[in-house]
Amino acid sequence: MKPTVIKGGSHSDTRGEVSYNNNFDISSIKRMYFIQNSSTSFVRAWQGHAIERRWFSVVKGSFEIKLIKIDNWENPTKNLDIFSSILNDQNLDVLFVPAGYVNSIQALEENSKLLLMSDYRLGDIQDEYRFDSNYFTL
């Protein structure tokens, strides 16, 4: 399974604006949380999950999210392919991240806010992997 962007949309009229995502099935989600990086120069990298699936959606501003599918969790290859996506708050787009990926998250605008959703509750499984921010060859 590969990462995919589930496209949202928006509608404006005299009453205001509605953002929506009618193609996003939330039935698997067990928890959600926000990330706000301290600055646009800070890159939150590399963290991921072998089992857990996640969904990302921007609430405010914009983010660049990079994903790498891990080939070996104990000693991953350093030059794996990178999937990159830029999300913003204009539509309610949702980036689906299957199990088996690590991510890098960088805000592209000050005060940007990212919503993350997961299919496991905190503490349900021990499935968090972290690698040094310079581990992978970009």
Side-chain angles (χ1 to χ4, degrees), residues 7 11 17 22 29-30 32 58 87 99 109 122 126:
K7 295 301 254 176
H11 173 76
E17 185 173 330
N22 296 330
I29 294 172
K30 303 267 171 60
M32 58 187 188
V58 175
L87 299 176
E109 300 173 47
L122 191 62
Q126 297 301 311

Side-chain angles (χ1 to χ4, degrees), residues 17-77:
E17 185 173 330
V18 174
S19 296
Y20 57 87
N21 194 317
N22 296 330
N23 298 313
F24 178 41
D25 177 2
I26 64 170
S27 60
S28 298
I29 294 172
K30 303 267 171 60
R31 76 180 164 105
M32 58 187 188
Y33 54 98
F34 290 112
I35 287 180
Q36 258 183 297
N37 285 354
S38 57
S39 73
T40 56
S41 61
F42 176 72
V43 180
R44 187 182 296 264
W46 292 96
Q47 175 183 321
H49 305 276
I51 300 167
E52 183 178 312
R53 297 176 300 158
R54 291 180 300 156
W55 295 262
F56 298 77
S57 188
V58 175
V59 176
K60 181 179 178 187
S62 60
F63 284 86
E64 180 176 23
I65 301 168
K66 294 179 181 175
L67 303 169
I68 297 175
K69 181 156 182 61
I70 299 300
D71 59 349
N72 177 331
W73 288 99
E74 301 306 317
N75 187 25
T77 302

